[in-house]
């Protein structure tokens, strides 16, 4: 599938389920949600420590719950998503925040202008052969040293490429082994800082995980 087909498919699929998806993510909390919050707060701490004047991009922000969270944590953040229905929901909750319909393949940001990127379960729909394009786009817009936090679905049984298709309810998706995804990120200049695996995932869902990286600075060697 080419970029245009992939993007159109994802947009259409998420437009259809946007309200349902929002009810789910803003519904009752799961015990493991605290782990997601911990990772996102660690990401926010790194942005804060960097002292950048740039904003953070919540890339594939969906209904905007993490854009909202980061803003409340004092991190200037804007959300970008393919789905106009998702963006409409995000604006409904926080009309004061910046939300844009757009694609992670082509972010509306100058080179090295962004303090960090949050990709919270949004890369899962990128066909693996197109992943390098998105990672190159993140690397283009991010300031050196800025953090990139990726939330994704984990597999332990992939072949040598490190990914398997996943029967996601909304749209075609891919699970990755943490090592393979970390390698792909490394190829685009993202140095791993740490990772988390959520073991007690809700029934029927594969384990979720996080890779916390930062865009290399020249002194990283
Ligand atoms: C599983 S949802 C995650 C939404 C939100 N980040 C969250 O954590 O709840 C995936 C989202 O990524 C968006 N998405 C997928 N591919 C995208 C792309 N290439 N550019 C922008 N948004 C994308 C979808 O439209 C969808 O809203």
């Amino acid at each position: 599938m080419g970029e245009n087909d992939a993007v159109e498919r994802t947009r259409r699929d998420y437009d259809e389920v946007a309200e349902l998806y929002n009810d789910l993510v803003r519904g009752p909390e799961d015990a493991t949600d605290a782990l997601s919050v911990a990772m996102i707060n660690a990401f926010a701490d790194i942005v804060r420590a960097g002292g950048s004047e740039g904003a953070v991009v919540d890339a594939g922000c969906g209904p905007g719950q993490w854009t909202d969270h980061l803003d409340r944590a004092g991190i200037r953040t804007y959300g970008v998503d393919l789905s106009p229905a998702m963006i409409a929901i995000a604006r409904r909750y926080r009309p004061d925040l910046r939300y844009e319909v757009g694609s992670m393949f082509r972010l509306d940001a100058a080179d090295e202008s962004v303090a960090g990127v949050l990709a919270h379960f949004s890369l899962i729909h990128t066909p693996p052969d197109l992943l390098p394009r998105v990672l190159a786009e993140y690397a283009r817009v991010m300031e050196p040293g800025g953090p990139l936090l990726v939330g994704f679905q984990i597999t332990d049984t992939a072949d040598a490429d490190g990914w398997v298709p996943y029967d996601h309810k909304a749209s075609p998706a891919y699970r990755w082994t943490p090592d393979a995804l970390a390698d792909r990120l490394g190829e685009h200049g993202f140095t791993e800082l740490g990772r988390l695996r959520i073991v007690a995932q809700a029934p029927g869902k594969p384990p979720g995980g996080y890779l916390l990286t930062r865009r290399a600075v020249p002194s990283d060697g």
Side-chain angles (χ1 to χ4, degrees):
M1 201 187 296
E3 179 185 320
N4 288 349
D5 289 342
V7 157
E8 282 315 313
R9 172 80 197 257
T10 308
R11 186 197 316 271
R12 196 180 62 229
D13 289 345
Y14 271 97
D15 271 349
E16 273 178 23
V17 300
E19 292 292 347
L20 275 174
Y21 184 86
N22 181 51
D23 290 346
L24 196 70
V25 299
R26 285 192 159 99
E29 288 200 358
D30 189 82
T32 62
D33 289 346
L35 297 173
S36 300
V37 170
M39 289 307 285
I40 288 166
N41 286 347
F43 166 85
D45 284 347
I46 295 168
V47 172
R48 208 175 285 112
S52 167
E53 291 182 0
V56 158
V57 182
D58 183 359
C61 64
Q65 77 279 25
W66 295 117
T67 323
D68 186 5
H69 178 93
L70 285 168
D71 176 75
R72 288 175 199 276
I75 304 295
R76 197 155 63 85
T77 309
Y78 67 97
V80 176
D81 201 282
L82 285 176
S83 159
M86 286 292 204
I87 291 295
I89 293 170
R91 288 182 181 144
R92 197 164 79 208
Y93 283 86
R94 289 295 307 269
D96 56 316
L97 294 186
R98 177 178 161 199
Y99 287 111
E100 294 171 0
V101 175
S103 171
M104 303 190 292
F105 285 96
R106 291 149 211 274
L107 291 167
D108 184 13
D111 294 357
E112 300 194 355
S113 65
V114 159
V117 171
L118 172 64
H120 198 261
F121 294 87
S122 51
L123 283 174
I124 62 173
H125 299 295
T126 301
D129 60 324
L130 299 179
L131 189 67
R133 290 197 203 173
V134 178
L135 298 184
E137 182 64 349
Y138 289 172
R140 180 188 72 77
V141 299
M142 280 179 64
E143 296 170 3
L148 164 65
L149 177 62
V150 179
F152 63 107
Q153 307 288 6
I154 291 178
T155 180
D156 295 315
T157 55
D159 62 16
D161 290 336
W163 57 269
V164 288
Y166 160 44
D167 187 20
H168 189 278
K169 285 196 175 61
S171 198
Y174 307 87
R175 296 196 244 159
W176 286 84
T177 67
D179 284 344
L181 190 54
D183 285 350
R184 296 288 184 104
L185 291 164
E187 285 162 11
H188 288 84
F190 293 105
T191 308
E192 183 176 353
L193 300 174
R195 61 179 74 182
L196 175 78
R197 180 188 182 105
I198 298 177
V199 177
Q201 195 61 276
K205 278 179 79 180
Y210 289 91
L211 283 168
L212 181 59
T213 70
R214 68 170 193 163
R215 192 181 159 214
V217 291
S219 59
D220 286 345

